[in-house]
DNA sequence: CGACATATTGAACGGGCTCAACGTGGGTGG
DNA sequence: CCACCCACGTTGAGCCCGTTCAATATGTCG
């Protein structure tokens, strides 16, 4: 989906990863967020006329396409789901603020460490981690586009973390032996993910 | 209002400027957004338990404090205002994405030029510009916190724009003689502000 | 086995930072 | 009303983190 499009459905990621990104006229590209299973995108089609960014797949995807009309019916009849949609939108905004913080203030090692912590925690929340490991389909090039760093420097920073024994990353799988240590190194505070939200009780049947 | 607080009212800026910011444990600070008259803050108190960032004044303020209960009543009875709240939340998120783009990909001059364009347009939307001029209470230090640049480099970048005749900035007033030129120089595309939104028709009486 | 994406490494460059002074202007108290 | 003060702005010089350019592995898929 490209900047300028006028989407008509809301997509729910069932399996696979995606990313939001923006391009500048001269070709520079910034990834502004990642999608993992469980994430919604394009909530804004209810209100905003057209896409101000692009969305692309990072792996083969399984997606649920929810027509706008179905969503409107849900919103009318299920206030708790509506509340969940607000949660989704507000946490996405909070995450975007945290990325702003990363790009503005954190150095290369902190940015990458912080991103790894975020993705690991988000995957764990939806049950996609396996102990201290999780799938990790992002290439170093994509990591660079997300952290505002050159591909070369991403590589060197990952090497440093590997040499320090803080991460194992190969074959598209990430292992973080000591998550707490990585969180401390990158000054990661999970509060912005709002995992203590009421969502524990979000249930369409209540 | 500080990170960790649990606010109980929603604030509407009637007059004066404010900012959202986040601090790191070692003192680094990132301003993640600005508030100008007409902006709402703390919409998230409906859903999220506690603040994941801080909010502070930049000038003396006139604020309307709207209790949560009053808001809930409005939401029940005025679907178009509810839609306006969604617009507010989604545009705030879109703006945050654009800041992510700026910090990740734009250089110093582009970041500052882009921010000046954004603030000028937002002020114009609420009728607070005067021809090519607008009030501009931000100090160079605050500009640095928002753009991820050092105060020194902000100063030099502003000098460059002044020398090029692209801005006049003194006595807390900004003049942009040729807005289109500044927008081009900083690769500013206003689409993310969604000024073509339905808000033109937002009216509590409809 | 060939081809193309991805990862790795080296070396030189540069945008923006840090450190350190020095102006400047508006508010305040004596 | 003036002298002081403090926040804000300006300028210079050297340095460093991360970039760019350019090769060289490595791996995976048909």
């Amino acid at each position: 989906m490209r900047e300028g499009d006028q989407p008509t459905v809301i997509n729910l990621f069932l399996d696979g990863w995606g990313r939001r990104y923006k391009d500048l006229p001269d070709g520079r590209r910034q990834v502004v967020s990642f999608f993992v299973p469980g994430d919604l995108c394009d909530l804004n089609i209810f209100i905003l006329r057209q896409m101000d960014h692009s969305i692309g797949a990072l792996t083969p995807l399984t997606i649920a396409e929810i027509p706008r009309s179905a969503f409107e019916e849900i919103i009318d009849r299920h206030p708790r789901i509506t509340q969940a949609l607000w949660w989704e939108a507000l946490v996405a905004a909070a995450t975007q603020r945290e990325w702003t913080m990363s790009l503005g203030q954190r150095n290369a090692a902190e940015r990458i460490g912080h991103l790894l912590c975020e993705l690991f925690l988000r995957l764990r929340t939806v049950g996609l981690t396996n102990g201290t490991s999780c799938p990790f389909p992002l290439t170093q090039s994509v990591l660079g586009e997300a952290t505002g760093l050159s591909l070369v420097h991403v590589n060197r920073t990952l090497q440093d973390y590997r040499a320090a024994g803080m991460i194992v990353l190969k074959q598209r799988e990430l292992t973080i032996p000591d998550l707490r240590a990585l969180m401390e190194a990158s000054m990661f505070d999970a509060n912005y993910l709002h995992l203590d939200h009421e969502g524990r009780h979000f249930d369409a049947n209540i």
Side-chain angles (χ1 to χ4, degrees), chain A:
Chain A
M1 192 175 308
R2 296 301 177 81
E3 184 166 347
D5 283 0
Q6 303 188 17
T8 56
V9 296
I10 290 172
N11 290 300
L12 173 60
F13 280 74
L14 298 177
D15 188 54
W17 292 39
R19 72 202 192 291
R20 276 188 225 268
Y21 60 95
K22 299 189 73 137
D23 290 319
L24 288 179
D26 63 3
R28 282 176 276 174
R29 169 172 294 184
Q30 177 69 35
V31 169
V32 297
S33 62
F34 289 111
F35 296 109
V36 298
D39 287 336
L40 270 179
C41 65
D42 319 315
L43 220 50
N44 48 3
I45 74 166
F46 281 111
I47 308 290
L48 305 180
R49 289 258 169 81
Q50 63 171 37
M51 297 285 289
D52 55 43
H53 59 274
S54 304
I55 292 180
L58 287 165
T59 69
L61 292 181
T62 306
I63 293 268
E65 291 193 343
I66 308 171
R68 185 181 163 133
S69 57
F71 243 91
E72 282 170 348
E73 193 185 321
I74 288 172
I75 286 178
D76 278 347
R77 301 193 185 174
H78 300 279
R80 292 192 67 79
I81 297 184
T82 303
Q83 196 179 19
L85 295 179
W86 272 103
W87 183 88
E88 165 82 18
L90 293 173
V91 170
T95 301
Q96 207 65 55
R97 286 193 292 269
E98 190 65 35
W99 281 45
T100 303
M101 168 60 118
S102 271
L103 290 171
Q105 301 299 324
R106 284 187 246 260
N107 63 27
E110 292 163 346
R111 284 185 215 177
I112 288 182
H114 193 277
L115 179 56
L116 298 184
C117 288
E118 176 183 313
L119 291 170
F120 184 84
L121 283 183
R122 286 171 60 189
L123 290 171
R124 196 170 71 180
T125 303
V126 290
L128 291 176
T129 53
N130 181 4
T132 58
S133 299
C134 68
F136 198 83
L138 306 185
T139 66
Q140 296 183 355
S141 170
V142 171
L143 279 174
E145 289 172 349
T147 53
L149 298 168
S150 69
L151 182 160
V152 172
H153 203 60
V154 168
N155 182 283
R156 290 183 168 125
T157 305
L158 288 174
Q159 306 273 14
D160 291 344
Y161 272 129
R162 279 197 265 250
M166 296 187 72
I167 66 168
V168 180
L169 177 52
K170 59 184 177 193
Q171 251 84 40
R172 310 277 102 122
E173 185 178 69
L174 168 68
T175 303
I176 305 175
D178 184 350
L179 180 60
R180 195 159 303 276
L182 187 59
M183 287 171 67
E184 196 152 337
S186 51
M187 286 186 271
F188 184 94
D189 182 335
N191 67 348
Y192 73 95
L193 293 174
H194 294 277
L195 298 177
D196 62 337
H197 68 88
E198 290 194 283
R200 283 179 299 191
H201 314 298
F202 279 160
D203 185 328
N205 298 321
I206 294 179

